[in-house]
Amino acid sequence: MVKACIFDLDGVIVDTAVYHFKAWKRLANHLGFDFTEEENEKLKGVSRVRSLQLILEWGGVEKTTKEQSKLADLKNSWYVEMIKEMKPDEILPGAEEFLLMVRNAGLKTALGSASKNSRTILEKVGLIELFDSIIDGNNVSASKPDPEVFLKGAESLGLNPADCVVFEDAIAGVEAALAGGMKVVGIGDSANLNGANLVVAGLHEMNLDKLYKL
Ligand code: B16
Ligand code: MG
């Protein structure tokens, strides 16, 4: 029987991809090149440093580790400026309702995100109180598809991985949840989320019945 739900942030609870894209695009332009929205899709769920490395590869630009760190900080400063203005109306359809449904049913909730800015985002949109635990890029050393973020999420709730269901929009996150021994609900298009136990377009399509039947 499921005892907890662990949610990814970007693409599941809110859509911060649009802000990441703007900030990364500004950085690429600053370095003298550009990248497409299609390429940006490949950055979803990917850590900040790895995202930068991919963008530099696309632009054919080489930077030292020290320079990479400065560039990642610069991008993050622009990104933080944007997320500081986020409002509750940016919560994805059905996300708040499903969180409340799960909590009212006596289940625990945790966040399992690659982002180091997850607390700021959850505070700005007014959802932070709905999470029993928050595990994000500040707490892990291995990125998805490594299961670390979700295993730490389960552990922080005092539960076994098999008691938890993960909600994820990125294939690396689906793989991470499966590697951790958890059930996973993919958010988005089933063609891109192989292995998920169920795929829905968004949390507005979720309910307790579907959760218990996984
Ligand atoms: P930050 P998620 C991920 O969030 C984003 O999808 C990804 O684009 C971003 O690079 C990553 O967080 C790190 O974010 O720069 O804020 O630490 O989908 O894992 O919630
Ligand atoms: Mg995501």
Side-chain angles (χ1 to χ4, degrees):
M1 191 69 170
V2 50
K3 293 180 183 159
C5 293
I6 306 181
F7 299 89
D8 173 54
L9 180 62
D10 177 28
V12 174
I13 304 289
V14 288
D15 184 13
T16 40
V18 44
Y19 301 125
H20 282 298
F21 184 45
K22 277 189 189 162
W24 282 128
K25 209 173 161 60
R26 186 171 168 188
L27 189 81
N29 294 167
H30 169 82
L31 294 170
F33 65 95
D34 207 355
F35 67 95
T36 64
E37 227 169 316
E38 204 184 340
E39 283 170 318
N40 186 60
E41 283 299 307
K42 299 189 181 128
L43 305 179
K44 289 189 177 172
V46 175
S47 75
R48 193 182 307 166
V49 175
R50 186 64 198 132
S51 298
L52 174 66
Q53 289 166 349
L54 286 170
I55 292 165
L56 292 177
E57 274 172 33
W58 298 335
V61 173
E62 283 190 25
K63 294 285 174 191
T64 63
T65 310
K66 208 172 157 194
E67 286 166 336
Q68 285 184 21
S69 165
K70 276 194 182 166
L71 290 171
D73 286 351
L74 183 60
K75 177 268 177 178
N76 192 55
S77 68
W78 294 330
Y79 177 68
V80 168
E81 277 309 305
M82 290 186 273
I83 60 170
K84 266 185 1 202
E85 304 301 323
M86 284 183 83
K87 300 274 180 305
D89 65 3
E90 291 181 69
I91 298 169
L92 286 172
E96 184 167 15
E97 292 79 358
F98 187 63
L99 277 160
L100 288 167
M101 228 183 267
V102 163
R103 291 176 67 87
N104 289 337
L107 278 70
K108 298 276 185 205
T109 56
L111 191 82
S113 165
S115 176
K116 293 185 173 174
N117 295 297
S118 70
R119 282 180 187 271
T120 307
I121 295 164
L122 289 178
E123 270 164 18
K124 291 292 167 191
V125 300
L127 289 181
I128 200 149
E129 301 296 333
L130 297 185
F131 290 88
D132 295 299
S133 162
I134 293 173
I135 305 294
D136 67 11
N138 298 297
N139 311 103
V140 296
S141 48
S143 307
K144 302 169 189 175
D146 189 286
E148 185 184 9
V149 69
F150 297 132
L151 292 176
K152 284 198 169 158
E155 193 189 338
S156 69
L157 298 171
L159 296 172
N160 291 320
D163 299 328
C164 304
V165 174
V166 167
F167 294 81
E168 250 294 345
D169 71 310
I171 184 64
V174 169
E175 288 166 0
L178 295 172
M182 302 171 190
K183 294 248 169 75
V184 52
V185 176
I187 304 288
D189 186 346
S190 58
N192 308 323
L193 298 167
N194 270 337
N197 300 91
L198 170 72
V199 176
V200 292
L203 290 176
H204 58 285
E205 286 188 2
M206 272 310 293
N207 55 43
L208 292 177
D209 202 36
K210 287 184 186 174
L211 183 68
Y212 293 143
K213 277 191 186 143
L214 285 170

